[in-house]
Amino acid sequence: MSHQKWQTIASHISKTTGQAFQVQSEHTIAGGCINSTYHIEGNGQNYFVKLNNSENLDMFEAEAAGLTKLAQADAIKVPEPLCWGTASGHAYLVMEYIPFGGESSDLGQQLAAQHQTTYPQFGWYRDNYIGSTPQINTLENDWVTFWQKHRLGFQINLAAQQGYTRLHRKGQRLIAEVGQFFSNYQPQPSLLHGDLWSGNYAISKNGQPVIYDPAVYYGDRETDIAMTELFGGFPKRFYDAYQETSPLEQGYTTRKTLYNLYHILNHLNLFGGSYLRQAENMIASLLSELRY
Ligand code: ADP
């Protein structure tokens, strides 16, 4: 652990806050998938720090931009990003440290409120990352085009580059017909967290739901809800509260598979293994819904 690195980070924090800060202790926080994460403490202040290799600074810039955007929506608490940069070969992102471990049932209602922040187009002003994979946010007027090109198409092409040719062939058949899933449904461009699995939310000690590690863009709100169901699910009271505030429309259950396929393809491209079978099953199930 380079002492120099923490000194550079500490002086950047001091410059940003205008208060003297030195790292007196640093503890690893487990739970992340991509980065090394730390709670640092000194001069009565606490911060949460992410570290990665210096070439990944853009990932932290995108994350800071996403956190700022979600904070502006003023619906769900997010950690405030403080500063980011490189130090001794590492990229770093410093944000507010939030002690977790409370209770709340407000997340469903708050997410519904966040989804009411909308934009005239689908996408975002900048690309970002889903895990460590680039996520393309080129603005589009049409959601079907956006999902075809920048979500499923992008991941299916990555899979083809990794040699998954059968998956690529079936995926292309599905992508060509994505419009069929939207014959009675017109989604709005809602402000999304974008990577809302159960590892990316917590309740603070003072009882506030907190979301973090986002992959922000404007898109169909169903994509956020679909992802909450993908790895483990959220408490029932979350779905009850969301539905009560903003009921989901008919056809969600089928579109859920179309939306979660994006994340499963991303997991296949990042980790390989059993995600191939899962992606193939999802594509087969979606193809079986098509009418010719
Ligand atoms: P990664 O980018 O590697 O996926 P995460 O953003 O998921 O890392 O953070 C890793 C863990 O750190 C989370 O599971 C959570 O428990 C904790 N954590 C994240 N953000 C904060 C924060 N601002 N304050 C305190 N703990 C946090």
Side-chain angles (χ1 to χ4, degrees):
M1 179 108 358
S2 106
H3 190 57
Q4 180 59 43
K5 172 185 67 198
W6 288 115
Q7 272 186 355
T8 308
I9 294 171
S11 75
H12 198 175
I13 293 172
S14 301
K15 233 167 70 189
T16 310
T17 63
Q19 283 182 309
F21 178 72
Q22 279 173 332
V23 180
Q24 274 148 2
S25 71
E26 108 265 324
H27 308 277
T28 305
I29 294 192
C33 306
I34 307 288
N35 304 293
S36 312
T37 46
Y38 300 88
H39 169 198
I40 60 170
E41 223 182 330
N43 309 67
Q45 300 161 49
N46 292 274
Y47 299 100
F48 180 75
V49 182
K50 288 189 174 190
L51 297 180
N52 206 314
N53 300 326
S54 54
E55 63 266 28
N56 291 319
L57 179 60
D58 188 59
M59 198 164 82
F60 288 155
E61 285 174 353
E63 182 169 343
L67 289 170
T68 303
K69 184 77 220 170
L70 292 176
Q72 283 165 2
D74 203 19
I76 312 178
K77 169 72 185 162
V78 290
E80 182 189 352
L82 232 83
C83 58
W84 49 92
T86 53
S88 314
H90 295 271
Y92 61 86
L93 168 61
V94 181
M95 66 183 88
E96 175 187 2
Y97 173 75
I98 303 177
F100 293 147
E103 286 285 332
S104 168
S105 53
D106 292 342
L107 183 65
Q109 199 183 1
Q110 292 182 357
L111 184 65
Q114 180 192 301
H115 287 163
Q116 274 154 28
T117 298
T118 56
Y119 190 74
Q121 289 178 293
F122 299 98
W124 203 28
Y125 78 96
R126 62 158 298 156
D127 294 340
N128 46 21
Y129 297 84
I130 185 73
S132 54
T133 310
Q135 172 165 275
I136 310 301
N137 294 323
T138 306
L139 290 163
E140 300 282 354
N141 293 321
D142 177 52
W143 174 246
V144 170
T145 307
F146 184 87
W147 200 255
Q148 286 171 313
K149 272 183 23 193
H150 307 307
R151 291 294 178 267
L152 293 187
F154 185 80
Q155 291 285 349
I156 276 286
N157 287 339
L158 285 184
Q161 284 164 27
Q162 299 208 33
Y164 300 114
T165 46
R166 187 179 58 189
L167 181 82
H168 181 244
R169 200 176 59 247
K170 292 194 172 168
Q172 280 187 313
R173 264 180 58 205
L174 172 67
I175 289 168
E177 299 297 334
V178 163
Q180 286 200 32
F181 297 100
F182 295 87
S183 50
N184 295 310
Y185 176 63
Q186 286 186 326
Q188 300 300 306
S190 290
L191 181 65
L192 303 175
H193 177 283
D195 194 7
L196 195 57
W197 69 290
S198 56
N200 282 346
Y201 97 99
I203 313 293
S204 71
K205 278 224 166 94
N206 61 18
Q208 257 187 319
V210 183
I211 54 173
Y212 45 87
D213 205 12
V216 162
Y217 65 103
Y218 290 96
D220 185 0
R221 66 196 179 100
E222 287 184 352
T223 59
D224 266 353
I225 303 298
M227 189 161 196
T228 67
E229 294 197 61
L230 186 56
F231 300 113
F234 281 38
K236 183 177 177 300
R237 62 176 189 265
F238 163 79
Y239 299 100
D240 291 346
Y242 187 92
Q243 288 276 16
E244 201 172 299
T245 319
S246 292
L248 294 171
E249 292 187 34
Q250 221 190 347
Y252 162 71
T253 314
T254 306
R255 289 187 294 272
K256 176 171 83 178
T257 308
L258 186 73
Y259 290 154
N260 283 341
L261 176 59
Y262 171 64
H263 295 292
I264 294 302
L265 288 172
N266 187 41
H267 277 66
L268 172 66
N269 288 322
L270 289 171
F271 310 119
S274 67
Y275 293 110
L276 177 59
R277 161 105 25 118
Q278 197 175 351
E280 285 186 332
N281 287 344
M282 289 167 96
I283 291 174
S285 142
L286 289 161
L287 287 173
S288 76
E289 301 266 344
L290 296 177
R291 292 175 306 274
Y292 292 97

